Amino acid sequence: TFLGYREYDLVRVGDTEEFIRFGPAERRSEMEPRKGDKVQFRFVVYNSPEFKQLMPNATVDPSGEFVVGSGKAWPWLETAMENMTVGDSRQVHVPVKIAEGATKWLPGPSVAKVLYLEMRLVSVERAK
């Protein structure tokens, strides 16, 4: 374990100096996103790295979608979805300073330094 966490990988986000931490994906299917595929995610925001209690008054079950490799997704999200398949869930620790748009899920101005998200890959629409 690392600082009391279960086994989490510390992964650099793109070519930045920022890192996210995430646990293994579950491999619930063989449908893994590829470049050009449209993917849809759901998120749950927790108030601590134990992922036991939901963040009070946070947006409930927000979603997002993007085309893999389009450059329109949050860089941390493309990094965090690596090796996920449709139906998988993964716990992710994202520094608030690189989670620009995701901070809208928090209840007002937050002093949080890290977002604790559980993300689920809902669907993959293959590129034509």
Side-chain angles (χ1 to χ4, degrees):
T1 62
F2 176 80
L3 298 177
Y5 296 117
R6 293 183 307 207
E7 292 301 315
Y8 284 89
D9 292 326
L10 187 63
V11 181
R12 183 186 302 268
V13 175
D15 59 358
T16 71
E17 295 300 317
E18 302 300 331
F19 291 82
I20 61 172
R21 182 177 305 283
F22 59 80
E26 298 165 347
R27 303 297 299 176
R28 292 187 176 249
S29 73
E30 294 302 313
M31 190 74 160
E32 191 171 322
R34 300 186 298 238
K35 188 172 182 172
D37 291 346
K38 184 178 180 180
V39 295
Q40 182 179 28
F41 284 89
R42 304 291 290 184
F43 300 91
V44 179
V45 183
Y46 290 87
N47 69 351
S48 72
E50 287 80 34
F51 292 90
K52 291 182 180 169
Q53 186 174 359
L54 297 177
M55 175 73 75
N57 301 316
T59 302
V60 177
D61 206 19
S63 64
E65 66 179 37
F66 64 93
V67 174
V68 178
S70 68
K72 298 194 176 173
W74 298 309
W76 67 264
L77 179 55
E78 288 224 29
T79 299
M81 75 165 211
E82 291 174 5
N83 300 312
M84 288 185 75
T85 63
V86 172
D88 289 358
S89 291
R90 173 177 275 166
Q91 295 174 337
V92 185
H93 305 220
V94 184
V96 167
K97 65 183 176 182
I98 65 168
E100 321 88 36
T103 56
K104 69 182 176 208
W105 303 335
L106 297 173
S110 178
V111 294
K113 301 252 188 267
V114 177
L115 287 177
Y116 302 103
L117 307 170
E118 185 170 81
M119 56 188 274
R120 185 176 75 247
L121 179 54
V122 175
S123 68
V124 172
E125 183 181 317
R126 290 287 183 220
K128 299 192 174 21

